[in-house]
Amino acid sequence: MFCHFIAFAAIVFNSLAARVELDWDVGYVFGARDGYTFKRGIGVNGDSPFPPVHVTQGDTLVINVRNSLDVPTSIHVHGLFNNGTNYYDGPDMVTQCGIPPGESFTYVLETGDQSGTFWIHGHTRHQEVDGLHTPLIIHSRKQPVIDYDEELIMTFEDWFTTEFAVRQAYIDSLEDIRTLTSNFPKALINGYDGNKTAPITFVPGKRYRLRVISMSVNNWFKFRIPGHKMTIIEADGVESMPLEVDGLILGPGQRYSAIVTAHDSAQFNYIYNGLIPLMYTGLINYRDGAPVKTIPAPSNEHLVWPEETAMQVADKQAPLPVDRQIELTMKKFTHTHHQHQTTLGNTLYKPVLVPTLYTALSMGDLATNSSVYGPQTNAYVLKHLDVVDVVINNPELEDHTFHFHGHNVQVIETGPYGNLSTENREPVAHKVSGPWPMWRDTIQVHGFEYIRVRFRADNPG
């Protein structure tokens, strides 16, 4: 009977799936999204920002991309597995050649059993920096961890006043990068200047699911609504056990869903904060014209923020048994003009001449030899279905995020790494996840820390 029920459920699930087709003309747009600086960016169908994409779990998303730029382009769905269809994953010269100017390419993206909060962005020549990105929401067919009345999308992104290519060319031209004047980015919230974005409307007593997405490139965002608690129910498209926090810390590419319950009274409006570390604020509007309630800012140590090891996965999956271990240590290279580049290991990555996926598919038995992928790719060849335990060490001051294409990873533990005595930093604690480690596709590795994650190599390519 149980087997028959599972088969019936699968048939019903597949029969409900739809094919959602979009036509995207990727081209240059001009505007001042930060409210101050008019610059050339990249958009879709003449718009920047362009609309979020909504599909339902099990749907097939088809995006017909026309490249109207004067350089190649490609797109990546951040967090989608593309299991068995790696050639739709998007990284230029890794899983595909870039789409040439004036040409088109169709991405056929199967959502399968995935649901949650994702985003789509350019994956050629850092085009996501100039605006080629938008949220993707895959609505679940299952009951949520916590019921809610309405959902809202909140996006955070850093925004530079010049195009990426122009800024990079200028940096490369400097004989000594230490002469570079500060060009700290501004912040966009929901697509526009973080201090001028439209208010968020709360109706008293309603429960909201906030889908919070960092479409940032370099900067972390801290998001908080003083006077309101948040309960996390999802991270990076994976449902979590409810975790109450005061706010969210998002590294580039990370996403959360958090439940926020509106107060019963519309007596006051409230201010939310977005920090990068410049402070950006917006309005939570309970009632037009209502006074803003002043809430004293508590010290950071009295606030509860989500930690990688504090979250637990909703389906209560225990840590996977390990077949193979890999340890990677970040290293900072300093060039003659004092520009820094961070690598994993002792090899500076350089793009290959043939997409890596094409090499894997065309080299026959040699495809298992890591050297065929080039001396500056630092490639690892994994055995299909092995569980791989990966330790990433960060001996430097700067924090980093890592995104795993085609996989989620279990966050097993974090702890101290490197010489903290050279910096004015608090001691780093060793933290181990609980019995059901959280799965996610984008992790934070803080300065002078290591992180241990684990995944099953079940997506060949």
Side-chain angles (χ1 to χ4, degrees):
M1 175 65 73
F2 179 74
C3 292
H4 291 158
F5 171 78
I6 292 295
F8 175 73
I11 291 170
V12 171
F13 183 86
N14 290 334
S15 68
L16 294 173
R19 184 180 175 92
V20 179
E21 190 159 351
L22 303 174
D23 294 322
W24 279 11
D25 186 352
V26 176
Y28 295 112
V29 293
F30 293 84
R33 287 177 58 189
D34 65 355
Y36 302 97
T37 307
F38 192 82
K39 70 169 236 183
R40 187 174 79 164
I42 299 175
V44 166
N45 300 336
D47 292 327
S48 178
F50 50 99
V53 177
H54 291 266
V55 297
T56 303
Q57 185 180 20
D59 287 354
T60 300
L61 173 62
V62 179
I63 305 180
N64 303 307
V65 177
R66 163 90 179 165
N67 182 10
S68 292
L69 305 173
D70 55 10
V71 293
T73 192
S74 65
I75 62 168
H76 167 62
V77 179
H78 194 104
L80 196 67
F81 294 151
N82 291 303
N83 199 313
T85 56
N86 291 173
Y87 38 84
Y88 293 134
D89 194 49
D92 181 28
M93 302 312 294
V94 178
T95 61
Q96 69 169 93
C97 297
I99 306 168
E103 300 296 330
S104 299
F105 184 79
T106 295
Y107 293 85
V108 181
L109 305 159
E110 302 291 347
T111 62
D113 196 38
Q114 291 186 260
S115 63
T117 308
F118 303 83
W119 62 301
I120 306 173
H121 61 83
H123 217 303
T124 298
R125 299 181 180 227
H126 300 283
Q127 290 165 357
E128 74 281 7
V129 180
D130 293 322
L132 184 52
H133 51 236
T134 196
L136 167 66
I137 308 303
I138 305 178
H139 296 278
S140 178
R141 297 185 186 274
K142 300 177 291 186
Q143 188 73 12
V145 175
I146 296 177
D147 287 332
Y148 53 90
D149 300 301
E150 189 177 338
E151 61 180 58
L152 303 168
I153 298 173
M154 289 203 67
T155 62
F156 293 85
E157 55 190 291
D158 41 17
W159 190 251
F160 293 87
T161 56
T162 55
E163 293 178 69
F164 175 84
V166 174
R167 189 171 67 258
Q168 188 62 55
Y170 171 66
I171 292 173
D172 291 342
S173 71
L174 296 175
E175 292 185 5
D176 187 340
I177 198 173
R178 292 174 296 182
T179 63
L180 178 67
T181 56
S182 175
N183 187 23
F184 199 80
K186 296 176 180 176
L188 305 184
I189 300 176
N190 291 337
Y192 297 96
D193 174 20
N195 288 322
K196 297 181 180 179
T197 192
I200 296 170
T201 299
F202 273 13
V203 174
K206 275 195 172 184
R207 185 181 288 168
Y208 293 89
R209 176 178 184 164
L210 300 185
R211 296 184 182 267
V212 186
I213 305 171
S214 171
M215 301 194 298
S216 172
V217 178
N218 290 317
N219 294 282
W220 269 245
F221 282 87
K222 297 177 77 171
F223 168 60
R224 193 167 73 88
I225 309 176
H228 300 73
K229 292 285 189 178
M230 301 181 183
T231 302
I232 297 173
I233 61 168
E234 176 226 342
D236 296 356
V238 180
E239 287 189 338
S240 70
M241 292 185 177
L243 177 67
E244 187 176 87
V245 295
D246 291 300
L248 303 173
I249 301 177
L250 298 101
Q254 292 190 309
R255 297 92 64 207
Y256 286 100
S257 281
I259 300 296
V260 178
T261 300
H263 296 307
D264 291 331
S265 169
Q267 181 180 2
F268 295 104
N269 293 330
Y270 294 80
I271 296 293
Y272 68 79
N273 302 323
L275 189 69
I276 71 162
L278 299 177
M279 177 69 78
Y280 288 81
T281 61
L283 183 68
I284 302 293
N285 190 62
Y286 278 82
R287 177 171 56 86
D288 291 344
V292 173
K293 186 168 186 177
T294 301
I295 299 176
S299 58
N300 192 64
E301 59 265 22
H302 293 115
L303 296 173
V304 177
W305 303 94
E307 295 181 350
E308 303 282 4
T309 53
M311 300 182 66
Q312 299 281 281
V313 72
D315 66 5
K316 297 184 178 181
Q317 186 172 2
L320 299 174
V322 176
D323 298 306
R324 178 179 178 182
Q325 291 183 316
I326 296 174
E327 185 168 359
L328 304 169
T329 300
M330 296 183 219
K331 184 173 181 179
K332 182 181 289 184
F333 284 82
T334 303
H335 298 275
T336 55
H337 67 319
H338 299 282
Q339 185 174 358
H340 301 303
Q341 282 186 289
T342 300
T343 71
L344 287 175
N346 294 316
T347 305
L348 278 172
Y349 178 82
K350 286 189 176 181
V352 293
L353 299 179
V354 175
T356 303
L357 180 62
Y358 297 3
T359 300
L361 294 173
S362 62
M363 292 301 292
D365 292 341
L366 289 176
T368 58
N369 185 334
S370 61
S371 65
V372 304
Y373 300 101
Q376 290 190 276
T377 62
N378 201 23
Y380 287 82
V381 178
L382 307 178
K383 184 179 178 182
H384 187 224
L385 298 182
D386 267 4
V387 174
V388 185
D389 187 85
V390 181
V391 174
I392 303 175
N393 301 316
N394 183 5
E396 305 291 343
L397 176 64
E398 294 85 1
D399 298 339
H400 293 270
T401 59
F402 287 83
H403 171 53
F404 289 77
H405 284 240
H407 299 84
N408 288 327
V409 298
Q410 286 182 308
V411 179
I412 304 299
E413 66 179 20
T414 63
Y417 185 86
N419 185 8
L420 271 171
S421 63
T422 61
E423 300 289 339
N424 185 20
R425 297 283 292 256
E426 294 292 327
V428 174
H430 178 233
K431 299 177 181 178
V432 180
S433 292
W436 305 297
M438 189 60 191
W439 291 82
R440 59 188 315 168
D441 60 61
T442 306
I443 58 170
Q444 299 184 28
V445 188
H446 298 292
F448 300 110
E449 292 191 19
Y450 77 88
I451 189 168
R452 182 185 300 275
V453 298
R454 200 167 290 173
F455 70 98
R456 188 179 298 279
D458 59 358
N459 193 354

